[in-house]
Amino acid sequence: MSNFANFREIGRKIVCVGRNYKDHALELGNPIPKKPMIFLKSTNSYVAEGNPIVIPPGCQNLHQEVELGVVIGKQAKNIKKDDWKDYVAGYTVALDMTARDFQDEAKKAGAPWFLSKSFDTSCPVANFIDKSKISDPHDLELYCLINGQEKQREKTNSMIFDIPTLISYVTQFATLEPGDLLLTGTPAGVCRVQSGDTIEFGLTGIIDSKFFVQ
Amino acid sequence: MSNFANFREIGRKIVCVGRNYKDHALELGNPIPKKPMIFLKSTNSYVAEGNPIVIPPGCQNLHQEVELGVVIGKQAKNIKKDDWKDYVAGYTVALDMTARDFQDEAKKAGAPWFLSKSFDTSCPVANFIDKSKISDPHDLELYCLINGQEKQREKTNSMIFDIPTLISYVTQFATLEPGDLLLTGTPAGVCRVQSGDTIEFGLTGIIDSKFFVQ
Ligand SMILES: [Mg+2]
Ligand SMILES: [Mg+2]
Ligand SMILES: [Mg+2]
């Protein structure tokens, strides 16, 4: 059994896919992507349970996006879809916190997404789950509640691009390394969170996590 | 004297600024930015001298951008402009290799820049230069030759946002960590490079570096 409990310390990047659930793409008025839309979060984004999510300065519209995370276990370059499992150490669940107002401004200007996606505490993340504990990562249920009210609930089989496709696509361009995290996109139900809010999220029956917005 | 010769191994992000020299913003038909335009390269981008620059699959228009790099020496959050020097370990020079066709497509779609900026070998980088060897990083000359022909030559005092401003701006949002690299933007003269080309670049009188495009 591999041990990547410390993936937040050893990993050097968080590779994310945008608009990977149809209903989420549509709720923000975006087209359904024809190929994976990849972006980065840097590791300063990580925040562990017990620490607050901090709204970045100037942000007026912070959104939560609950996502299944794939923890990479082995250096991966030009990986064939069929071989994807060899490169996965395990899973986790995370929030891809997004300063939606910053992102809207960037999208309009054709500018990069750094400010909207990589601010400190923009990646609240749960613990590592060894892959031996999850027989099929495409048969999980993501959920997210804000102040006890359900906002997101969706099966991971609704992804537009599945995990083998994402690993194969990304590694054509960029090497994935042990401890790197791949965030696989969020289903519909993102919304504004505010100071004082509690966000509970997880994978039904597998892992639960709770964070506060400072 | 700090030793960050291994900054490529210990650093976890490359924070870059786009359009930080007026003539370069204009040569690509972009507006002069009113605030720093920040994006990320992930550390899989690094390539050291002796290894080739590899054109990413599908890219038809790979550009070189020579840039002064600032190596962070100490964890930096909410740094005041006047204190910037305390957080710098030293400098280097690098190429921010850019798949301009991928970037043009992303800009039009309001999509993130990952594919155009973070492919493997997209950050050819020279060695670490301790800060004791550079009295004023804003009084250096960047240069870049392709196949012996001069393409870029500019003083670093032409930056729109200087290093104190960049460090102060970025650390309002994202913590910089020891070994992280800050790339400070490229002057005018970017152009297409092709398989077989030799790129020589550096800081006049301080450091010279040479890479080949495979
Ligand atoms: Mg980006
Ligand atoms: Mg997301
Ligand atoms: Mg650049």
Side-chain angles (χ1 to χ4, degrees), chain A residues 7-8 30 34 46 49 62-63 75 84 91 94 115 129 133 138 147 153 167 183-184 190 195 198:
Chain A
F7 70 92
R8 294 178 211 83
N30 289 312
K34 294 193 177 64
Y46 281 135
E49 222 169 346
L62 181 65
H63 278 200
Q75 184 170 305
W84 72 279
Y91 302 93
L115 222 56
I129 306 161
K133 303 214 172 116
H138 302 98
N147 303 327
R153 185 173 299 274
I167 290 177
L183 291 186
T184 56
V190 303
S195 182
T198 301

Side-chain angles (χ1 to χ4, degrees), chain A residues 6-127:
Chain A
N6 63 343
F7 70 92
R8 294 178 211 83
E9 280 74 51
I10 61 171
R12 301 215 288 173
K13 61 183 171 293
I14 306 167
V15 176
C16 309
V17 56
R19 306 177 197 165
N20 201 27
Y21 287 79
K22 190 178 161 191
D23 290 349
H24 169 63
L26 297 179
E27 77 179 337
L28 294 180
N30 289 312
I32 307 298
K34 294 193 177 64
K35 61 186 176 190
M37 173 179 275
I38 307 295
F39 63 93
L40 290 167
K41 290 171 97 85
S42 37
T43 56
N44 61 286
S45 303
Y46 281 135
V47 56
E49 222 169 346
N51 297 103
I53 297 168
V54 181
I55 301 174
C59 172
Q60 303 294 330
N61 193 14
L62 181 65
H63 278 200
Q64 98 293 348
E65 302 187 349
V66 66
E67 311 202 359
L68 173 66
V70 179
V71 178
I72 301 299
K74 203 161 85 171
Q75 184 170 305
K77 173 71 179 175
N78 287 327
I79 303 310
K80 290 188 201 118
K81 280 191 197 186
D82 282 352
D83 297 334
W84 72 279
K85 277 196 175 170
D86 300 343
Y87 298 89
V88 173
Y91 302 93
T92 190
V93 64
L95 297 175
D96 170 18
M97 298 302 298
T98 303
R100 195 70 70 198
D101 44 354
F102 294 177
Q103 190 192 33
D104 287 343
E105 185 185 325
K107 283 164 60 182
K108 257 177 238 154
W113 290 11
F114 173 78
L115 222 56
S116 62
K117 289 290 194 179
S118 281
F119 55 88
D120 290 341
T121 77
S122 65
C123 192
V125 65
N127 287 333

